[in-house]
Amino acid sequence: MRSNLKKLLDDRGISIRKFAEDTGLQFETLRRMYNDDTKQYNKQMIAKVCEELNVEISELLILEDA
């Protein structure tokens, strides 16, 4: 599984810092997700990101073949 947050934010011209400010989510948590370094995903954070970007979970987290 990989995070697609970088593409979603880049396509919208939104910086991670601005997104953190707008959502109230921690910058460092979003930075790890943006750089696809997240080991575990918090379901409340995923829900907030999807809600704010108006995307489905499958658009945010991409399943890849093992």
Side-chain angles (χ1 to χ4, degrees), residues 7-56:
K7 180 174 181 353
L8 293 170
L9 290 181
D10 289 355
D11 286 353
R12 290 167 171 79
I14 304 170
S15 71
I16 309 169
R17 193 157 306 276
K18 174 79 169 116
F19 191 64
E21 290 171 5
D22 291 349
T23 61
L25 295 170
Q26 292 184 350
F27 171 78
E28 186 58 28
T29 302
L30 289 171
R31 186 198 62 76
R32 282 193 305 269
M33 188 174 194
Y34 182 90
N35 291 322
D36 199 26
D37 291 333
T38 303
K39 302 295 183 226
Q40 295 180 336
Y41 296 99
N42 175 287
K43 65 183 177 182
Q44 285 86 7
M45 184 200 61
I46 296 298
K48 181 73 171 171
V49 170
C50 287
E51 183 179 290
E52 290 291 323
L53 294 176
N54 194 30
V55 297
E56 298 292 324

